[in-house]
């Protein structure tokens, strides 16, 4: 017998949101892990809020929402708030009930900007790394380092002369035409009016220059987890400058190795690592290499070069899944907070695979 296509709204629902999420859903284990990590940040959350005044969005819900936004590649806060409204899985993970009112996107953005600063993002990132250490998944012997460009949230049209002598646009309107053909533009004389902290830079010859920042990751070779992050202005020495900062605060065991590509094959950088008693299995340049037989004679040199390439998986995931190809924020500190949080999300996906929980969305 054919059923009738009649839609009649139910007055009451007898199934809770908890009942609607499958018991074997992979995000259940991720939610349990994240809740434990957030519990350790309770005192930090208290310090961010005043004792009186209007209640804000609970910081735990903001962090869970930010994590899901990264894992499921939701592009904007407006789109994210819309999806929370009808997606029961997102509601459950964030901590909202079926009847709870979803925040306005502007309220969500304002609370998020106050909470997800670089300090809180880095504390959450460190908790994820401590979880990996507690599970004996990290070693203190072999690492790799690399950097990647993060496109700024600013157009090339906003890159004008600092003294204000740039000619006005040729035509008005919302997206006016700007002719900068033949004009020599450099960071010393020009700056973006949209994001003054962004820098014009290209990573290789023949590549196009773009307004960007540079993010860097220090990876532990055995598991491919990120153990340190640094975001600085994009310059010709940014990769080596950031590497020295991360190695100085993270690589503490004498004799540890830090692999890198040819951009790090510079005498000054290699000397700094040797002074810190760190072995530099860096890919050699064809001419004028600073890497000699003290490093290349060991079988581990070739192994380090092979493992080093895994750091590209981190950047690939962060840009395709985590939305880090072009930042949604302006200013170095906010871009750094987004980058650190995205790498924390990447580590959680890696831990899911290592634990066999398979919560990764990639």
């Amino acid at each position: 017998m054919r059923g009738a296509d009649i839609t009649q709204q139910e007055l009451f629902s007898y199934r809770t949101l908890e009942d609607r999420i499958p018991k074997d859903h992979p995000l259940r284990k991720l939610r349990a892990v994240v809740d434990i990590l957030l519990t350790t940040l309770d005192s930090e959350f208290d310090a961010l809020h005043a004792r009186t005044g209007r209640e804000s969005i609970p910081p735990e819900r903001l962090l869970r929402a930010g994590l899901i936004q990264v894992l499921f590649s939701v592009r904007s806060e407006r789109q994210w708030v819309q999806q929370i409204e009808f997606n029961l899985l997102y509601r459950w993970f964030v901590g909202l009930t079926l009847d709870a009112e979803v925040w306005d996107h502007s309220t969500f953005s304002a609370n998020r900007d106050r909470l997800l600063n670089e300090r809180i993002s880095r504390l959450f990132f460190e908790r994820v790394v401590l979880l990996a250490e507690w599970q004996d998944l990290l070693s203190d012997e072999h690492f790799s380092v690399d950097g990647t460009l993060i496109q700024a949230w600013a157009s090339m049209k906003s890159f004008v002369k600092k003294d204000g002598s740039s000619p006005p646009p040729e035509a008005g309107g919302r997206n006016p035409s700007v002719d900068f053909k033949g004009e020599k533009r450099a960071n010393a004389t020009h700056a973006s009016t949209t994001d003054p902290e962004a820098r014009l830079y290209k990573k290789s010859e023949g590549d196009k220059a773009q307004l960007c920042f540079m993010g860097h990751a220090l990876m532990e070779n055995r598991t491919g987890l990120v153990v340190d992050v640094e975001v600085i202005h994009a310059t010709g020495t940014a990769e080596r400058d950031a590497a020295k900062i991360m190695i100085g605060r993270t690589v503490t065991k004498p004799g540890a190795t830090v692999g890198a590509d040819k951009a790090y094959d510079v005498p000054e950088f290699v000397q700094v690592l040797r002074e810190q008693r760190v072995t530099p299995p860096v890919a050699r340049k064809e001419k004028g290499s600073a890497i000699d037989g003290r490093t290349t004679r060991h079988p581990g040199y070739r192994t380090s070069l092979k493992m080093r390439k895994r750091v590209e998986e981190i950047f690939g995931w962060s840009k395709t899944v985590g939305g880090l190809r072009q930042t949604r924020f302006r200013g170095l500190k906010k871009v750094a907070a987004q980058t650190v949080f995205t790498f924390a999300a990447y580590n959680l996906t890696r831990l899911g695979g290592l634990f066999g929980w398979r919560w990764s969305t990639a």
Side-chain angles (χ1 to χ4, degrees), residues 263-324:
Y264 297 82
D265 186 7
V266 176
E268 182 268 340
F269 176 76
V270 173
Q271 182 61 31
V272 169
L273 263 60
R274 294 198 183 281
E275 290 175 355
Q276 297 179 2
R277 302 177 68 184
V278 174
T279 302
V282 176
R284 299 185 65 186
K285 295 179 180 178
E286 294 181 1
K287 296 181 180 180
S289 176
I291 305 299
D292 53 30
R294 290 178 293 176
T295 303
T296 59
R297 65 185 178 184
H298 299 288
Y301 176 74
R302 289 182 291 275
T303 302
S304 293
L305 293 183
K306 184 182 299 184
M307 298 299 296
R308 176 194 62 80
K309 298 178 181 179
R310 294 183 65 185
V311 76
E312 300 296 342
E313 298 177 11
I314 300 170
F315 297 143
W317 184 95
S318 299
K319 291 185 176 184
T320 56
V321 177
L324 200 61

Side-chain angles (χ1 to χ4, degrees), residues 199-261:
R199 296 291 183 268
L200 186 66
Y201 185 73
K202 61 180 180 179
K203 200 169 183 181
S204 61
E205 291 295 332
D207 194 10
K208 66 177 182 179
Q210 58 182 330
L211 290 171
C212 57
F213 299 90
M214 188 168 281
H216 308 82
L218 182 66
M219 180 191 73
E220 194 273 328
N221 285 355
R222 185 172 65 173
T223 58
L225 292 169
V226 184
V227 294
D228 204 347
V229 188
E230 190 68 27
V231 180
I232 59 178
H233 293 298
T235 65
T237 62
E239 289 185 298
R240 297 187 294 276
D241 294 340
K244 287 185 284 188
I245 294 173
M246 293 187 293
I247 293 170
R249 67 188 175 200
T250 303
V251 183
T252 57
K253 183 176 181 178
T257 67
V258 178
D261 59 28

